[in-house]
Amino acid sequence: MKPIIIILFLIIYSVVPVRAQTYLQVGDTAPSISGLRWLQGGPIEKFQRGKTYALVFAASWCSPCLSSIREISEFAEAHRAETETLTFFIHEQIGQGKGPYGDHLVRFLRGYDEKLECPVAIDDQKGTLQQAWQIDDTQQNALPIFIVVDRDGKIGWIGTAIAQLEQAVKHINSSAYSLSREIEKARSAAKNDAPFDFKKLYLVDGNGGADDAFAFRSVIARYEGKIGAPNPEFIQEVTGIYATPYVQAGRVQLIGAPLSMLYYTAYSDSLNNNPPSRNPVTNLFRDTIAAPHHRTSYGRWWHKPVLDVADSSLFQFDWKSPVNRYNYSLQVPAVLGTAAFMQALMQRDLLGYFGYDVTVETRMMPYWKLSAPDKAKAKKLLASRHQGKTFEVIAEDGAYHFKNAIVRDIIWMCGSNFGYRSHDYGRMPVGQQGAFMDETGLDLEIDFRYQDKCTFEEFRSYLASKGLLLTRAQKPMKVVVIRDPKN
């Protein structure tokens, strides 16, 4: 069955013109970077003429930023000879804990798996850098944001994709670069006053108005491999309190997603399905914090759809290829943007585009059970020597040493290293993947270690030496089941 790909724009409310915003543009003089607290490298107080700079604006609470650290470091190393890469952390008030401002970021960067191989600075609590660089007004609604400053101290490029940053830096450092031509290209792209052509779709390429002058939009298209973006793993209800630059009210957007991911997003729980983890700043488990977006369906929902179709070829994909991957974008007015409403619309779209029948069922599904057959022995082997002290993780000799942890930390290490979906690093065969569940009954502070990049069987053996067993079991879980059309 070959799907029919449709692009659909629906305007359900009258569109009121929005006041134009001012924002940083190509050709502007680069604002100041003086007065920052430099956590690594620096200090750098101004841009040197004759030198190109690649600026990264990020935040420690931003998942796409953290997942880009390795690429940023590789980029910085590859272009060190002709371009200086600087990383600025902004909006850090969100994660500020006790102690002097910025110390939380020092601890976080020191303990994070990937290291930033470039100078790093943090904005002040007033957001001086963020305001000077008009980060919220650069027409880029997501972090990380990349900005290239050319040899004359002018803005040469603004974007959100590191792959495009690579191309921009090569172009700006080449003899073909002309700032005046880049300004003209940016102005041409920004124009929205083109005449209306009834043969073309309304608002596409500015036809009849600005591209974003809609109240309701649903789009699906084949993925061509030319763009990249982090994909949400669940539809989240976003309010003004919990909205972030890259998760916005009334919006669902997946780029390069396989069909199974589209269906799972549309039909599964509106909570993430990853193992609960600690907040790197507060050291509290995220789902113990009173906020809706910290809750998880881990262990209650099976992590991928079950296929009951005669021909599963449309569901076969490879992350290295654009084949059988799609872009999906849904925008509704924020006041209507509940998870239930957006999932219903997405379900309607998938039914129209692909035609499969889908149900949500409760089935017995496999999982990994962590147990302590001899609790007394396990307590003796695991109990922390310093009960009641502060939780900490020490990286030493190629291992992570957990001090004053709890059993949930073991579950987190299992799930985050041998898990599925965003935590699938190829260390666990797909057929063995499943949630890790604590059934030890142990309630005490413990010490344990995790050897970096160890295999599942090696960590399983280590846990056994501490009186803990990881065994395969089954429990009822919600499952998204995809079937061929009944007709």
Side-chain angles (χ1 to χ4, degrees), residues 316-391:
Q316 306 304 316
F317 75 98
D318 185 329
W319 287 115
K320 297 178 181 179
S321 167
V323 176
N324 285 345
R325 292 167 63 189
Y326 302 89
N327 300 329
Y328 178 80
S329 179
L330 172 68
Q331 178 74 61
V332 303
V335 68
L336 299 177
T338 64
F341 181 68
M342 291 190 291
Q343 279 192 306
L345 293 176
M346 191 173 182
Q347 292 168 16
R348 175 211 65 185
D349 290 342
L350 292 176
L351 178 63
Y353 302 149
F354 301 102
Y356 291 104
D357 290 325
V358 183
T359 58
V360 175
E361 304 173 6
T362 299
R363 295 187 179 186
M364 296 298 293
M365 303 301 288
Y367 73 103
W368 289 99
K369 178 175 73 173
L370 184 67
S371 62
D374 187 338
K375 288 185 174 57
K377 176 184 176 182
K379 286 183 178 180
K380 182 178 180 180
L381 293 171
L382 289 165
S384 175
R385 299 177 182 178
H386 308 285
Q387 297 288 319
K389 298 295 184 180
T390 303
F391 165 82

Side-chain angles (χ1 to χ4, degrees), residues 137-296:
D137 297 325
T138 58
Q139 295 182 321
Q140 310 293 337
N141 293 319
L143 292 177
I145 290 174
F146 305 100
I147 297 178
V148 179
V149 178
D150 69 16
R151 295 184 181 94
D152 294 319
K154 303 291 185 179
I155 303 300
W157 180 83
I158 301 172
T160 58
I162 194 165
Q164 295 174 357
L165 171 66
E166 186 97 21
Q167 298 171 359
V169 164
K170 288 181 179 179
H171 175 62
I172 290 173
N173 284 327
S174 73
S175 59
Y177 172 70
S178 165
L179 181 61
S180 61
R181 283 199 296 267
E182 297 304 314
I183 293 172
E184 186 57 36
K185 283 197 300 184
R187 287 176 178 171
S188 177
K191 289 181 179 179
N192 59 8
D193 57 352
F196 180 69
D197 183 348
F198 73 92
K199 298 185 295 296
K200 298 180 181 179
L201 288 176
Y202 176 51
L203 299 186
V204 173
D205 292 331
N207 187 38
D211 293 0
D212 59 355
F214 59 83
F216 188 118
R217 185 187 75 161
S218 173
V219 179
I220 191 167
R222 289 187 183 278
Y223 179 64
E224 297 181 349
K226 297 179 179 179
I227 56 177
N231 283 330
E233 295 188 338
F234 60 100
I235 290 182
Q236 179 177 324
E237 279 188 29
V238 181
T239 67
I241 298 175
Y242 301 116
T244 69
Y246 57 92
V247 178
Q248 298 184 29
R251 178 177 298 182
V252 179
Q253 194 153 267
L254 294 99
I255 302 297
L259 197 53
S260 57
M261 180 181 288
L262 293 181
Y263 272 102
Y264 191 83
T265 305
Y267 285 90
S268 67
D269 197 13
S270 58
L271 300 174
N272 82 70
N273 194 14
N274 291 325
S277 61
R278 288 187 184 264
N279 182 296
V281 176
T282 66
N283 277 333
L284 296 175
F285 274 94
R286 298 176 190 271
D287 61 333
T288 64
I289 303 172
H293 62 299
H294 287 144
R295 292 179 294 157
T296 175

Side-chain angles (χ1 to χ4, degrees), residues 30-33 44-49 53 55 86 133 149 153:
S32 171
I33 55 170
I44 298 171
E45 294 295 326
K46 62 181 181 179
F47 299 113
Q48 296 180 22
R49 290 299 176 97
Y53 294 82
L55 312 183
L86 309 176
W133 285 77
V149 178

Side-chain angles (χ1 to χ4, degrees), residues 292-309:
H293 62 299
H294 287 144
R295 292 179 294 157
T296 175
S297 62
Y298 187 68
R300 300 197 299 274
W301 280 75
W302 187 241
H303 56 276
K304 61 181 180 180
V306 171
L307 300 181
D308 186 8
V309 297

Side-chain angles (χ1 to χ4, degrees), residues 24 31-32 127-135:
L24 202 63
S32 171
T128 302
L129 182 74
Q130 176 262 323
Q131 293 174 32
W133 285 77
Q134 303 169 21
I135 296 304

Side-chain angles (χ1 to χ4, degrees), residues 56-93:
V56 183
F57 291 85
S60 63
W61 46 262
C62 162
S63 297
C65 301
L66 304 186
S67 63
S68 300
I69 285 180
R70 176 180 294 180
E71 290 177 279
I72 293 169
S73 295
E74 291 175 350
F75 170 88
E77 185 62 32
H79 297 275
R80 192 178 302 278
E82 77 283 357
T83 302
E84 176 136 18
T85 303
L86 309 176
T87 296
F88 302 125
F89 280 83
I90 60 175
H91 296 302
E92 285 300 315
Q93 298 89 337

